Amino acid sequence: MTKTLVIAEKPSVAQDIVRALTPVAGKFEKHEDHFENDRYVVTSAVGHLVEIQAPEQFDVKRGKWSFAHLPVIPPYFDLKPVDKTKTRLNAVVKQAKRKDVTDLINACDAGREGELIFRLIEQYAGGAKPLGKPVKRLWLQSMTPQAIRDGFDALRSEQQMAGLASAARSRSEADWLVGINGTRAMTAFNSRDGGFFLTTVGRVQTPTLSLVVEREEKIRKFVSRDYWEIHATFGAQAGEYPAKWFDPKWKKSEDVEARADRVWSAAEAQAIANAVRGKQATVTEESKPTTQASPLLFDLTSLQREANGKFGFSAKTTLALAQSLYERHKALTYPRTDSRALPEDYLPVAKQTFEMLADSGMRHLAPHALTALNNHYIRPSKRIFDNSKVSDHFAIIPTTQAPSGLSEAEQKLYDLVVRRFMAVFFPSAEYTVTTRISIVAPHSFKTEGKVLVKPGWLAIYGKEAADEVEGGKDGDKGQNLVPVKPGEMVNTLAVDPKGLKTKPPARYSEATLLGAMESAGKQIDDDELREAMQEKGLGTPATRAAIIEGLLTEKYMLREGREIIPTAKAFQLMTLLRGLEVEELCRADLTGEWEFKLSQMEKGQLSREAFMAEIAAMTERMVKKAKEYDRDTIPGDYATLESPCPNCGGVVKENYRRYACVGRPADAGGSGEGCGFSFGKSPAGRTFETAEANALLATRKIGPLEGFRSKAGWPFTSEIVIKYDDEARNYKLEFDFGDDRKGEESGEIVEFEDASLGACPICGSEVHEHGSNYVCSRAVPTAAQPTPSCTFKSGKIILQQPVEREQMTKLLETGKTDLLDKFVSMRTRRAFKAHLAWDKEAGKVNFEFAPSKFPPRPGDATKKIATKSVGSGAMAQKISKSAATKKAPAAKTAAAKAPRKAAAGKAPSAALAAVIGAEPVARPEAVKKIWEYIKAHNLQDPKDKRTIVADDKLRAVFGKDSAGMFELAGLLGKHLGGEG
């Protein structure tokens, strides 16, 4: 009997498909990597299993970073397995090659990336010749069992998917061509003077970065100007009302800061105030009704923007939450969408969704759903149901399945989507807008009142949204106005010129950057207009979060609170690209045009060949510009450092590659020539910020700094010092790896200036910061104890993972840190997650990994990765082989594998049980639970994080209104059956 192979994108989707098909296709038998019954074999990828690469004869392995081997534009691409998922790829390919499997169904995510994942697996499985098995496409917008069954009843043909497949391959190949050639060319250019300065660029990431850099340049160049507003209070018979002076004859000009209500001199503002003070005014008034419709339904980008603005979620976090609500909980429809409308035949499903919400027991949502059903709000509307605005996917809305067991973050996002879904069906909010002009000849004052008459959709959001929408930010807007009778003269009770300053444009947050990417840099606030621009955006809704995260990872940008700030490395890259006139990599609107062309390709309106020829031509030009640039420096807007040259006291200025002394100016008695002192802006591939360069000159030392790379590409952390070189008779820059043992050997007394982080797990003394480590106060020479007697030391940066003070405090108190996710293996260079934990037996800090979701395979070696305490805070990995590969005495092996004995649990007191539950618990676990409670309820004092401000429950435990973090263990001991 022949069978059909179904390939999903993720294991969880494969399981959903099996559950949905079982009632109609029969029971499935579960195997290690697939499910099977009489009709179907169901397996899955785990994201991308295959990636493209240039064929070996067209790529050069040695010297690939030099211009000699650029550009690399192969006539076709080979495939290579993704290293970490080779086993899964082999399992999928094995099923695809089975003789009894005659047909394939692509059940990967509905979209460009899902199409690419499947196509590359199919191509790889075929090898030199095509696999040759017919393919159908399962196109799922929802993950409910019925939606999956409906999808199998309406499979799409190979021909229907041809355009999307072409666009998917073209996007992948274009990104490879621009990314590989651009990165190699810019790295080769920046490494001409020696060393290795990795300079990554990308078809989408670099124009995105240019948006952030251009905004920061405007902020830095902004010169604030003083201006004045004249605020007045008028008195009518019915009461008082505020107003603001304005010029009714004002028209827009080239001055972007000019406004109708601004004057530019204090004298003019005071003259206006003096002219009207104490006088009577005539009043004209116009009132008119106005309505405000709810915002459109969410697509992914608008959801990410809203969640960032309301909750501070990053775009990456929002996508992960939405994906979990779609895949795991089946509570939302497909999230990676750029559509904000629903199909025209979706009205019955919308009604069913409202019925589910009305009966769901979600008390904050159900009443609004019931109102919509009782008042027949769910009806056809072109604003909501429009096939012309639905392409691969429709808007993100709740499914007909009520969720349960949501995390707090998932619940927040689910509520956000549900409220938007309900709001779009509700009537518009109705206002009365009143504009009142009070005239004290010849001066006019304006007052605006906006009164909510019928809340309509705002009822779903409550008072908070009503206040927000009513526009009450200014003192003369959004209020109920006291009435003025026709013909009544009002008195000018008070008038006050208010001095203000113009402000620079705001830095991007993730919300505003996503909006700028969506419109390819064109700032559009109107939802409808932005929707029309979406096809010309930077990236796609599904990729924008990853682009932002990639720029943060490469240290081109930093997050500070909700602001995104470009680094010196970003400015240097933009200076280079502008100087080389490689505008294709800088212009957001041009890359937006490419995205538009990919969209045309999906619809069959543009050929793949024409698009790729354009990309190849752009790539050749980009490499040629970098290769042939022959001037000494790149023109740019460079800084002058505040700190003087350490050698001659002259002025130090920045150029493209270096900070160099240009000597003292002639008017200060200098020759105007430099003394030869200079240092590179990017030693070992890490670019100095201007403030860092200033600090380095001022103190001759800075760090430890992370982000350096060796010539072999290995990351490292170091301090930087400026030392005098007798041979060169000048100062030069050097790395100083901050070996803290120098102090121990020389006997130099250490004085700690920071507060203690907690008790040393070896001797109980205080632990402090010292150089690049956290050390026990008895591990270094101090005035109290000149001879060290303890060995506790742990790095502040371990395998590229910064260990913050808060985490070391937690380790000292509870035995381990939170799960940290930025470790990078020295062997594989892959990122991994782990806790840092105190290993009493080893007498050092070790890794502790979260339990695997998958059972170990038979014969797997047991691995243990341990820290090595060294001065620079680096960490060595030690992998102890299992008994199967290394002979050892049986007793010793057993002892090594024996788990550490857990501390016996004690029953908590009633007061403590009210906080952590009544289960018996050991003190370290109790401390951990208390900390979770403190964090969840935000009980740390904002001015001193080490102080816990007790709520009613904790007050019963502490016996007082507050407690220090170091008191917790002692306080809890009294509540654990006398333990402690």
Side-chain angles (χ1 to χ4, degrees):
M1 177 183 278
T2 60
K3 298 187 180 185
T4 298
L5 174 64
V6 181
I7 301 177
E9 189 166 319
K10 303 176 194 71
S12 60
V13 178
Q15 291 172 346
D16 291 336
I17 289 171
V18 167
R19 278 193 286 268
L21 290 181
T22 296
V24 294
K27 186 177 179 181
F28 283 79
E29 186 177 341
K30 188 175 187 296
H31 298 267
E32 187 177 359
D33 293 304
H34 69 281
F35 302 86
E36 187 169 353
N37 69 5
D38 293 339
R39 289 175 58 187
Y40 295 104
V41 178
V42 180
T43 188
S44 76
V46 279
H48 280 278
L49 301 184
V50 184
E51 56 191 7
I52 62 173
Q53 66 175 1
E56 196 158 340
Q57 64 267 38
F58 297 103
D59 198 11
V60 181
K61 299 302 177 190
R62 294 178 62 83
K64 62 185 177 183
W65 298 104
S66 77
F67 284 118
H69 305 296
L70 294 176
V72 181
I73 303 178
Y76 64 92
F77 283 90
D78 277 347
L79 302 179
K80 68 171 180 177
V82 175
D83 287 338
K84 63 182 179 182
T85 53
K86 274 184 181 178
T87 305
R88 172 64 73 167
L89 175 63
N90 292 337
V92 175
V93 168
K94 181 181 176 182
Q95 301 304 319
K97 287 184 170 181
R98 282 172 46 169
K99 289 186 178 177
D100 61 338
V101 168
T102 57
D103 300 85
L104 304 180
I105 292 177
N106 174 5
C108 293
D109 286 358
R112 203 191 282 167
E113 283 309 294
E115 196 67 26
L116 182 65
I117 287 168
F118 174 85
R119 297 278 175 161
L120 295 183
I121 292 172
E122 182 199 18
Q123 181 184 338
Y124 183 83
K129 56 183 180 180
L131 199 58
K133 297 183 180 182
V135 175
K136 291 285 181 70
R137 184 62 154 108
L138 177 67
W139 198 260
L140 296 179
Q141 304 283 12
S142 171
M143 290 302 296
T144 61
Q146 189 55 51
I148 293 171
R149 288 191 285 270
D150 292 344
F152 270 87
D153 292 336
L155 294 170
R156 299 186 180 186
S157 68
E158 180 87 348
Q159 292 72 29
Q160 285 175 285
M161 306 313 299
L164 184 66
S166 292
R169 285 186 183 273
S170 297
R171 196 280 307 153
S172 175
E173 292 173 11
D175 283 353
W176 191 97
L177 286 171
V178 175
I180 292 293
N181 286 285
T183 296
R184 292 180 185 182
M186 300 310 146
T187 300
F189 186 93
N190 279 335
S191 304
R192 275 176 168 171
D193 292 345
F196 179 75
F197 183 13
L198 178 64
T199 310
T200 58
V201 299
R203 186 181 63 87
V204 178
Q205 77 166 43
T206 307
T208 300
L209 182 63
S210 78
L211 294 175
V212 182
V213 170
E214 285 167 12
R215 174 66 60 87
E216 192 69 19
E217 286 172 337
K218 287 179 182 176
I219 293 169
R220 291 183 181 184
K221 291 176 182 176
F222 185 83
V223 178
S224 184
R225 295 160 61 190
D226 294 329
Y227 70 92
W228 285 260
E229 293 177 350
I230 301 96
H231 292 254
T233 301
F234 291 99
Q237 292 176 22
E240 299 176 2
Y241 64 90
K244 190 197 293 184
W245 176 90
F246 77 106
D247 179 3
K249 297 176 183 175
W250 180 83
K251 290 181 180 178
K252 282 188 177 180
S253 65
E254 291 182 4
D255 185 352
V256 295
E257 300 290 351
R259 305 281 190 278
D261 58 4
R262 292 180 178 178
V263 296
W264 297 99
S265 78
E268 184 182 355
Q270 194 62 54
I272 293 170
N274 292 340
V276 302
R277 187 176 287 114
K279 296 187 178 177
Q280 288 194 316
T282 58
V283 178
T284 60
E285 191 168 276
E286 181 184 358
S287 293
K288 59 182 179 181
T290 186
T291 61
Q292 182 180 11
S294 74
L296 297 172
L297 293 169
F298 282 125
D299 64 356
L300 178 58
T301 302
S302 58
L303 179 61
Q304 287 170 320
R305 294 183 68 190
E306 188 86 358
N308 181 253
K310 271 193 164 59
F311 311 128
F313 292 167
S314 69
K316 179 183 178 182
T317 297
T318 298
L319 176 56
L321 291 170
Q323 198 72 24
S324 174
L325 287 163
Y326 162 67
E327 278 181 27
R328 184 166 159 234
H329 298 287
K330 316 295 182 287
L332 293 185
T333 55
Y334 185 76
R336 296 168 183 256
T337 175
D338 61 358
S339 175
R340 304 188 71 175
L342 299 175
E344 290 166 15
D345 61 358
Y346 220 71
L347 184 65
V349 181
K351 276 186 180 172
Q352 290 169 25
T353 307
F354 268 91
E355 288 163 0
M356 177 277 291
L357 292 168
D359 294 336
S360 66
M362 291 183 274
R363 281 185 253 174
H364 59 303
L365 301 173
H368 303 301
L370 202 57
T371 299
L373 290 167
N374 291 340
N375 291 284
H376 307 290
Y377 289 162
I378 306 100
R379 47 180 179 260
S381 163
K382 201 69 175 172
R383 190 168 180 267
I384 306 169
F385 303 99
D386 188 347
N387 286 346
S388 67
K389 294 180 180 176
V390 175
S391 52
D392 301 342
H393 316 287
F394 52 75
I396 304 170
I397 64 170
T399 65
T400 54
Q401 192 162 313
S404 60
L406 301 185
S407 68
E408 183 183 353
E410 286 170 337
Q411 188 68 53
K412 281 182 176 179
L413 200 73
Y414 181 72
D415 285 359
L416 206 61
V417 174
V418 171
R419 288 181 197 273
R420 178 66 66 93
F421 170 70
M422 291 194 292
V424 82
F425 288 96
F426 268 59
S428 295
E430 295 181 17
Y431 298 91
T432 297
V433 175
T434 301
T435 303
R436 178 179 294 172
I437 308 296
S438 306
I439 300 175
V440 183
H443 299 292
S444 301
F445 291 78
K446 183 186 288 185
T447 309
E448 292 180 332
K450 190 175 184 183
V451 179
L452 184 63
V453 179
K454 290 184 181 177
W457 63 274
L458 286 173
I460 293 169
Y461 292 88
K463 186 176 185 304
E464 173 198 342
D467 289 344
E468 193 176 292
V469 177
E470 282 174 29
K473 292 179 183 177
D474 297 325
D476 60 346
K477 289 184 181 179
Q479 70 275 352
N480 282 298
L481 295 181
V482 297
V484 175
K485 294 176 183 177
E488 181 185 351
M489 299 290 286
V490 298
N491 295 313
T492 309
L493 300 179
V495 58
D496 178 32
K498 191 174 180 181
L500 300 164
K501 289 182 177 290
T502 57
K503 294 179 181 178
R507 285 193 175 108
Y508 281 111
S509 64
E510 279 203 49
T512 55
L513 182 56
L514 285 165
M517 293 173 73
E518 186 179 40
S519 58
K522 295 177 177 63
Q523 299 308 305
I524 299 170
D525 293 324
D526 182 82
D527 278 342
E528 319 277 348
L529 287 177
R530 192 186 299 112
E531 185 185 15
M533 276 297 297
Q534 277 186 340
E535 287 186 335
K536 294 190 178 184
L538 282 172
T540 66
T543 61
R544 285 172 192 143
I547 291 162
I548 292 173
E549 290 298 325
L551 289 167
L552 291 164
T553 300
E554 286 295 331
K555 300 293 189 290
Y556 280 122
M557 307 188 310
L558 301 171
R559 273 195 195 101
E560 284 191 9
R562 294 193 184 185
E563 290 186 332
I564 290 180
I565 302 173
T567 62
K569 183 180 177 182
F571 279 93
Q572 192 172 13
L573 175 61
M574 288 303 128
T575 298
L576 174 60
L577 297 179
R578 290 165 185 169
L580 296 180
E581 298 178 348
V582 189
E583 61 182 11
E584 295 90 336
L585 277 175
C586 298
R587 281 178 47 196
D589 57 339
L590 188 61
T591 306
E593 288 289 338
W594 296 339
E595 206 66 54
F596 177 61
K597 287 173 182 175
L598 289 171
S599 177
Q600 286 184 306
M601 198 184 302
E602 290 179 17
K603 298 167 186 171
Q605 298 167 357
L606 179 71
S607 75
R608 172 164 146 73
E609 291 72 23
F611 177 80
M612 292 311 301
E614 184 179 334
I615 294 292
M618 189 212 80
T619 302
E620 288 176 335
R621 180 182 175 278
M622 174 179 62
V623 172
K624 186 180 180 191
K625 283 279 188 181
K627 196 173 186 176
E628 295 178 355
Y629 192 86
D630 57 0
R631 279 170 279 175
D632 292 336
T633 187
I634 300 285
D637 184 12
Y638 295 117
T640 299
L641 297 187
E642 296 170 5
S643 302
C645 169
N647 191 50
C648 72
V651 176
V652 177
K653 287 191 174 183
E654 176 190 13
N655 59 42
Y656 179 68
R657 297 186 188 278
R658 307 184 72 77
Y659 287 101
C661 174
V662 295
R664 295 184 182 184
D667 58 6
S671 63
E673 293 183 4
C675 67
F677 169 75
S678 73
F679 62 94
K681 281 168 61 177
S682 305
R686 184 197 185 280
T687 305
F688 284 119
E689 299 291 333
T690 305
E692 290 175 338
N694 264 317
L696 178 59
L697 286 189
T699 63
R700 312 284 169 89
K701 184 175 183 178
I702 190 171
L705 304 175
E706 55 181 309
F708 298 108
R709 286 182 181 272
S710 69
K711 289 181 180 179
W714 293 103
F716 67 91
T717 300
S718 177
E719 291 185 343
I720 296 283
V721 296
I722 290 179
K723 288 185 176 178
Y724 191 78
D725 185 336
D726 292 321
E727 188 176 329
R729 295 186 179 180
N730 210 325
Y731 285 82
K732 69 175 185 178
L733 182 148
E734 289 183 0
F735 289 104
D736 183 343
F737 293 96
D739 189 348
D740 299 327
R741 287 173 295 183
K742 289 177 184 175
E744 298 164 30
E745 292 162 3
S746 67
E748 184 180 335
I749 297 299
V750 174
E751 291 184 17
F752 297 113
E753 297 179 357
D754 64 317
S756 168
L757 290 107
C760 171
I762 296 176
C763 71
S765 299
E766 292 182 344
V767 173
H768 292 270
E769 284 188 55
H770 178 50
S772 54
N773 288 306
Y774 297 111
V775 301
C776 173
S777 58
R778 293 187 178 180
V780 293
T782 62
Q785 183 183 303
T787 304
S789 61
C790 185
T791 58
F792 178 79
K793 184 185 292 186
S794 184
K796 286 158 70 174
I797 298 175
I798 297 174
L799 290 183
Q800 300 187 56
Q801 167 71 62
V803 183
E804 304 295 345
R805 283 180 62 92
E806 182 186 46
Q807 292 300 330
M808 180 50 60
T809 298
K810 183 167 283 193
L811 185 149
L812 297 173
E813 285 185 348
T814 67
K816 68 179 178 181
T817 65
D818 294 334
L819 188 66
L820 306 177
D821 60 2
K822 293 184 174 63
F823 295 109
V824 178
S825 165
M826 290 285 283
R827 184 174 60 85
T828 66
R829 302 197 192 185
R830 288 188 194 141
F832 66 91
K833 301 178 183 180
H835 301 274
L836 291 177
W838 176 247
D839 186 336
K840 188 175 180 181
E841 292 176 10
K844 64 175 70 173
V845 174
N846 275 345
F847 286 123
E848 181 180 303
F849 296 94
S852 173
K853 297 176 183 177
F854 307 99
R857 294 189 176 183
D860 269 7
T862 304
K863 295 182 180 180
K864 181 183 180 183
I865 302 180
T867 67
K868 180 181 178 185
S869 298
V870 293
S872 64
M875 181 177 284
Q877 296 173 323
K878 295 179 179 179
I879 303 178
S880 57
K881 297 181 180 179
S882 69
T885 57
K886 183 178 180 180
K887 293 181 181 179
K892 190 173 180 180
T893 306
K897 291 186 177 181
R900 290 166 61 191
K901 188 176 179 181
K906 301 274 186 173
S909 68
L912 183 56
V915 181
I916 67 170
E919 292 290 320
V921 63
R923 183 159 52 180
E925 185 64 21
V927 172
K928 181 182 176 185
K929 288 186 174 184
I930 280 284
W931 263 110
E932 288 170 355
Y933 180 87
I934 290 165
K935 293 278 188 183
H937 293 80
N938 199 24
L939 297 178
Q940 286 174 279
D941 187 333
K943 295 179 181 177
D944 180 7
K945 297 284 188 182
R946 294 186 289 271
T947 300
I948 314 306
V949 180
D951 61 5
D952 289 341
K953 288 184 178 179
L954 285 185
R955 199 172 288 113
V957 176
F958 294 170
K960 52 186 177 179
D961 291 335
S962 65
M965 62 166 59
F966 304 122
E967 297 180 71
L968 288 181
L971 290 170
L972 296 192
K974 302 171 185 176
H975 291 271
L976 288 171
E979 183 198 15

